[in-house]
Every structure is written in structure tokens, then in C-alpha cells.
Amino acid sequence: MQRRGALGGALLFLLAACDMLSSGKDDRSPAARPFPRADRPVAPIVSTRWSSEEARDRVREADDIMDRAGIKPGMTIADIGAGEGYYTVRLAKRVGAKGRVLAEDIMPEVIEALSRRITREDWKNVSVKLGAPEDPRLPENSFDRIFMVHMYHEIGEPYAFLWHLSPALRPDGEIIVVDANRPTEQHGTPPRLLSCEFAAMGFRLEELIPKPTAGGYLARFKRIAARPDPASIVPCTYQVQE
């Protein structure tokens, strides 16, 4: 009887393991599973800011980045990983009453705080949206520019994320990435790795500009090809040294 009970327990354990495998349970969301995993570390989200707004304004960070990105009145902009809204409100001022800014973040408490700021400061041309780690959930064919400032290294599913992001750009739109030139686990993205991951999704690097006042560099990308079939994507190889 004891032997039979041990065998029965082992059988139940094996059946449970098989059920988990057959159900496809893993640590990835259903929207990410069709895509390859990134071959690189992912930096944890440790803060919604990397410097104070006053310090950033003293070096004209936002003005310089917006100038380089070609932000003009009347444009529609998405600010991904908007955090406390440093770029959101400055983009809103630049695009003016005829323009629009959509501020997105994946943390509900951040979105709630940003919504209070937008209401308090009366930014009528700004809306906020809760996204998902693998999908920013943006409306298609809507944006002249999509900003990702000091947040790309925190994207755990870059191929799923960029694949879902791509349709939101207008035909002549651009993605603007600001990040530090250091390993992803150190809260940066080496430019070569960034370009490779974007290229895998049909984007071409138009310009890479050192921006020490913004904590690293600015990269401009345009979409030049259709989104690939997720199964055909080959992940970029991560290299610590550039």
C-alpha cells in the first residue's frame, strides 16, 4: 500500500507538470508569446525620473530634444513611459492648441498621478493612457512622433512592443529614443543593440546624436518595411562592449 501510494503521488505530480506544459503557462503574457525573447538583460523600473525637472530645464534638455526631433505646432505626439510628465507638458506647449499629446505608462499609480497633474495645470491638449509592458495600446496611424525617453532599457519584450507600436506611426512619422550608451542592466541601451532591435521590426536609424545634456544620445527611426511575421524574427545578440 505504501509503494502504491508513492507511485500514485509521482504519477499525479507528472500529470500536473504535463498539464502546465500543455496549457502553455510561463512567465510571459499571451501577447508576447509569439515573439522571441530578447537576448539581453532588462533593467528594473526603479524610478519615474532620472533627474529633476529644474535641472533638466537649466540645460534646455527638452527644448534641444524637441528641436532635433522636429516637433512643430499642430503635431500629434505619443510620450511612452511618460512618468511624471516632464516631456508630456513640454511637448503639449510646443504642439499648441491644434496639436495633441498622448501620455502612456504601464504603472496605474503613475497614470493616476500624471492625470492629476494634467488636470491641475489645465493641459487641454493632453490625454493619458495605461499601456501594457508588451503593447503600448496606441491608436493606429495617429502619431507624427513617438517619444521614448530613458525607458527603452526597461522594455522586457522589445520585439512584441515594437511590433504592436509600429501601426501607430503615420507614414512619415518617426520614433525618437533618448537613452544612455551603457549596458541595459545599467539603465542604458548600446546604440548598436538599439539599431538592431529596431531593424528587426522594419525601422531604419536616420540619425544618432550624442546628447550629454539629456544623459546620453538621441536616435531617430523611420519605418521602412512592413512588420515581420513574429515567427521569423531573429533576436539580436547582446554584447556588453561596443
Side-chain angles (χ1 to χ4, degrees), residues 8-156:
L11 180 60
L12 288 173
F13 176 81
L14 290 173
L15 287 173
C18 290
D19 286 341
M20 289 183 66
L21 290 173
S22 62
S23 63
K25 289 183 178 179
D26 61 22
D27 60 347
R28 308 175 78 200
S29 72
R33 288 173 194 161
F35 300 87
R37 293 179 184 268
D39 182 23
R40 61 169 170 86
V42 178
I45 300 174
V46 295
S47 176
T48 58
R49 65 166 65 183
W50 75 276
S51 182
S52 71
E53 295 196 9
E54 294 77 11
R56 297 168 83 172
D57 280 345
R58 281 197 295 270
V59 295
R60 299 188 69 253
E61 176 193 332
D63 285 336
D64 186 30
I65 295 298
M66 289 189 294
D67 288 347
R68 287 288 190 173
I71 305 303
K72 299 176 182 178
M75 281 186 165
T76 300
I77 314 295
D79 184 15
I80 307 300
E84 297 175 348
Y86 174 75
Y87 270 89
T88 297
V89 300
R90 286 156 180 81
L91 286 165
K93 182 178 180 181
R94 178 73 66 97
V95 302
K98 294 184 178 180
R100 294 291 302 175
V101 176
L102 175 63
E104 184 265 13
D105 207 284
I106 64 171
M107 302 172 68
E109 63 274 21
V110 171
I111 285 294
E112 292 172 6
L114 181 54
S115 295
R116 292 193 294 269
R117 176 180 185 175
I118 296 306
T119 301
R120 183 176 66 252
E121 298 181 10
D122 197 26
W123 293 102
K124 293 183 171 60
N125 61 344
V126 175
S127 55
V128 299
K129 186 176 184 65
L130 181 67
E134 71 286 339
D135 183 357
R137 298 172 178 169
L138 302 181
E140 294 188 8
N141 193 32
S142 298
F143 299 99
D144 300 296
R145 300 287 187 274
I146 296 177
F147 269 54
M148 294 192 285
V149 180
H150 291 294
M151 58 77 64
Y152 188 80
H153 51 266
E154 297 172 352
I155 299 174

Side-chain angles (χ1 to χ4, degrees), residues 159-185:
Y159 303 108
F161 184 89
L162 292 175
W163 196 90
H164 288 108
L165 176 78
S166 179
L169 270 183
R170 289 174 175 164
D172 59 346
E174 295 183 4
I175 296 180
I176 306 299
V177 177
V178 176
D179 214 336
N181 184 4
R182 56 177 177 253
T184 52
E185 64 268 32

Side-chain angles (χ1 to χ4, degrees), residues 185-234:
E185 64 268 32
Q186 297 177 23
H187 293 273
T189 309
R192 194 178 304 169
L193 175 64
L194 180 75
S195 299
C196 182
E197 292 184 349
F198 269 78
M201 293 296 106
F203 291 95
R204 180 179 66 202
L205 177 64
E206 297 293 300
E207 189 175 24
L208 181 70
I209 311 169
K211 284 293 172 188
T213 56
Y217 61 81
L218 177 149
R220 296 173 41 237
F221 291 93
K222 281 191 175 182
R223 186 177 56 207
I224 61 170
R227 294 186 299 178
D229 179 87
S232 71
I233 299 168
V234 178

